[in-house]
Amino acid sequence: MLKGKTALITGSTSGIGLAIAQGLADQGANIVLNGLGDAGAIEAARSGIEGRGVKCVYDGANLMDPAAIQAMFGRIDPIDILVNNAGIQHVAAVQDFPDDKWNAIIALNLSAVFHCSKLALPNMLAKGWGRVVNIASAHGLSASPYKSAYVAAKHGVVGFTKTLGLETAEKGITCNAVCPGYVLTPIVEGQIGDQMKVHGKNRDEVIRDIMLARQPTKKFVTVEEVAATTVFLCSPGAASITGTTISVDGGWTAL
Ligand code: NAD
């Protein structure tokens, strides 16, 4: 379905991003992996994707730095499918929220979405085809206490998604946001520890009472489910879906 297309998935060295890269590779897309982490694990992920019969390169650009994003786009092939997935989290009350954490979350979770889209668009516009999928969050549609920077950034991503969808509506390009509920990945493992401190609860209590309290299925969403939704948004059947959000949240935002 996606043979001959090149997909950049930001933050694809682990978690949701890696599952999306694998899902797009299974449809024949060549893959650009990006993200941080252990070199051996990244090479294992890269060669595993190449084993699916597509080209796969890794670029370790730090997406908090717009100059590094620009340099990455100078190195990689022109991008047909952009999945803006890289993200970080920090949990603290507003009055205690460290300025550097606020700035880092806005830089990666929001501004990098703008910078990568800006640099991917010229090729998509020239070809008259493109897909931008932004991995936002249920926190792009609703809020939780102690996550001000993350909630602000993800709401910003949803607004950016609508705007880019409108700007490209007649150009063969779609732009949508996927809004997952809780998925058990390294970013969530980190939050379990933070929430244990903030609420004075043990691990099981945090998972049951805090994290899955608002997820009516009472199950974590899987990385494969988020990947399948992303692949669908890149398929011909999704050509008229643009400027909107798809929730993959076990019913969270229905509450
Ligand atoms: P993760 O921690 O497993 O993955 C985050 C990825 O971002 C990693 O590849 C990491 O190396 C990369 N990254 C971090 N800092 C970076 C930087 N400066 N430059 C480039 N890459 C960087 O987390 P995940 O759960 O897979 O999250 C992926 C996305 O999904 C995030 O945007 C997150 O907000 C969103 N999301 C996650 C959940 C969840 O419950 N896990 C729910 C909703 C939305």
Side-chain angles (χ1 to χ4, degrees), residues 129-147:
W129 193 94
R131 294 287 178 269
V132 180
V133 181
N134 298 323
I135 307 304
S137 169
H139 282 122
L141 302 168
S142 64
S144 294
Y146 312 118
K147 296 184 178 178

Side-chain angles (χ1 to χ4, degrees), residues 16 30 34 117 138 145 162 217 221:
I16 293 170
N30 295 321
N34 159 260
S117 301
K162 294 178 185 176
T217 51
V221 174

Side-chain angles (χ1 to χ4, degrees), residues 66-122:
I69 296 176
Q70 180 126 32
M72 173 175 71
F73 272 84
R75 288 187 291 266
I76 62 180
D77 286 343
I79 296 304
D80 307 294
I81 298 167
L82 171 65
V83 182
N84 287 303
N85 168 78
I88 50 170
Q89 173 66 283
H90 186 78
V91 178
V94 169
Q95 67 274 21
D96 301 323
F97 212 95
D99 290 355
D100 62 336
K101 297 284 187 197
W102 174 275
N103 290 335
I105 289 172
I106 298 299
L108 184 64
N109 296 18
L110 179 57
S111 297
V113 175
F114 159 70
H115 292 296
C116 289
S117 301
K118 180 177 176 176
L119 292 165
L121 273 168

Side-chain angles (χ1 to χ4, degrees), residues 183-255:
V183 190
L184 194 54
T185 63
I187 202 176
V188 169
E189 281 293 346
Q191 283 180 66
I192 293 173
D194 289 341
Q195 295 272 16
M196 283 164 65
K197 278 185 229 147
V198 169
H199 296 282
K201 290 177 182 274
N202 69 30
R203 181 185 167 86
D204 287 347
E205 288 168 339
V206 162
I207 291 174
R208 188 189 61 236
D209 300 343
I210 312 277
M211 296 194 149
L212 298 184
R214 291 171 69 184
Q215 200 148 297
T217 51
K218 299 295 174 202
K219 286 194 292 198
F220 281 111
V221 174
T222 68
V223 294
E224 290 81 10
E225 289 163 349
V226 180
T229 305
T230 304
V231 169
F232 164 66
L233 286 170
C234 297
S235 73
S240 294
I241 301 176
T242 196
T244 193
T245 59
I246 297 188
S247 291
V248 187
D249 66 1
W252 176 332
T253 46
L255 281 173

Side-chain angles (χ1 to χ4, degrees), residues 11 13-14 16 36 62-63 85 136 150 154 180-181 183 185-188:
T13 51
S14 73
I16 293 170
L36 315 176
N62 175 1
L63 304 189
N85 168 78
Y150 188 88
K154 295 296 188 181
V183 190
T185 63
I187 202 176
V188 169

